[in-house]
Amino acid sequence: MRTLGALYACIAMACGACGSSSPAGGDPPGDDDDVPPADAAPQPVKRARFIAVGDAGKGNTTQRDVAVAMRDVCAAKGCDFVLMLGDNIYDAGVDSVTDPQRQTKFEEPYHDIDLPFYVALGNHHNGGNLIIDAPGIGNEFDKGKLEVDYTQVSTKWTMPATHYTFSFAHVGIVVLDTNALLWENTTYGNQTQWLPQAMMEVEGKDWVFLAGHHPYRSNGTHGNAGSYDAPELAGPYTAAFAGCWW
């Protein structure tokens, strides 16, 4: 949809570098006097290490296998946080903060990863119902609030709002609710209007990343965001309307 395309077009993933200007009457940039002495201490390395994972919440052995790999890589190389890019609880999200799926599809698979998990919403979090149940359609927007509320219960799950920003060291991350953008839903706020505020919140960071469930450009079967093929619609609608086609 145009809304999603326009919003993505406003955000660039960029690396910023701060340059210094010479004082009035001083040497121009690039002069030999600007070269640090050979024995100068090296500048500290800026580092932010994180794992990004999505479409993960099925509570099966594959999810646990990936979790073990995450645990081992972080133990060996170090990690600062995990970024979860949506559809973290299949097939239709949860019905409450205490839904047992919280344990089987999040807490238990990642029990030995002691890091904050910053979460983005996907379409499956928001269930789906148009005439009949259609998990994955993503139009039960009240379920999104349950994901936010779980932040107060879990020691890992971190989602202060359905869309938000956070920073770690020199990195800023803007987390979108792309499912709401695809539906042009503003139940929890207009993200297009919120974007300038979001960019101010990460202003001055060397790196700014955009995080969301539906990629703006994709060579996958679903295609690009904005022209999403919504395969979840095919089966339910075929069944619901079959009687109307006779």
Side-chain angles (χ1 to χ4, degrees):
M1 293 183 178
R2 292 188 302 274
T3 303
L4 183 59
L7 183 58
Y8 272 116
C10 293
I11 302 178
M13 182 174 65
C15 174
C18 297
S20 59
S21 56
S22 301
D27 294 329
D31 188 91
D32 289 344
D33 291 345
D34 294 329
V35 178
D39 58 350
Q43 293 296 313
V45 176
K46 294 181 178 180
R47 179 175 294 164
R49 299 161 296 181
F50 63 93
I51 289 178
V53 60
D55 289 354
K58 294 189 175 182
N60 55 18
T61 56
T62 302
Q63 183 179 8
R64 178 55 187 164
D65 289 344
V66 173
V68 169
M70 293 165 59
R71 177 200 67 194
D72 293 348
V73 167
C74 289
K77 299 180 179 297
C79 294
D80 299 305
F81 58 89
V82 177
L83 188 59
M84 299 196 79
L85 298 173
D87 285 0
N88 309 306
I89 297 183
Y90 280 95
D91 277 326
V94 296
D95 295 321
S96 70
V97 170
T98 58
D99 191 307
Q101 294 181 97
R102 300 283 193 188
Q103 299 301 314
T104 59
K105 298 179 179 179
F106 178 71
E107 299 291 351
E108 292 173 7
Y110 305 117
H111 73 272
D112 47 4
I113 301 176
D114 186 19
L115 293 170
F117 284 63
Y118 291 95
V119 183
L121 284 173
N123 47 294
H124 280 276
H125 289 282
N126 288 294
N129 188 296
L130 290 176
I131 303 178
I132 63 173
D133 287 338
I137 294 299
N139 69 329
E140 295 179 274
F141 299 104
D142 56 320
K143 288 191 171 186
K145 182 63 164 55
L146 295 174
E147 306 306 311
V148 175
D149 292 345
Y150 190 60
T151 300
Q152 304 304 315
V153 177
S154 175
T155 59
K156 292 184 174 71
W157 185 281
T158 306
M159 184 185 245
T162 57
H163 50 279
Y164 60 97
T165 69
F166 73 95
S167 296
F168 183 90
H170 62 299
V171 174
I173 298 182
V174 179
V175 181
L176 296 178
D177 177 2
T178 59
N179 181 69
L181 290 170
L182 287 168
W183 281 92
E184 298 184 351
N185 180 273
T186 57
T187 299
Y188 300 111
N190 186 313
Q191 293 178 79
T192 303
Q193 295 177 0
W194 165 78
L195 179 60
Q197 174 189 330
M199 297 308 293
M200 285 192 294
E201 290 173 3
V202 296
E203 185 177 3
K205 298 299 179 181
D206 292 344
W207 289 88
V208 176
F209 292 94
L210 172 68
H213 182 62
H214 302 88
Y216 183 54
R217 295 293 184 192
S218 173
N219 61 359
T221 56
H222 290 332
N224 299 330
S227 57
Y228 192 58
D229 64 358
E232 296 87 357
L233 289 171
Y237 275 131
T238 299
F241 293 109
C244 300
W245 295 341
W246 288 98

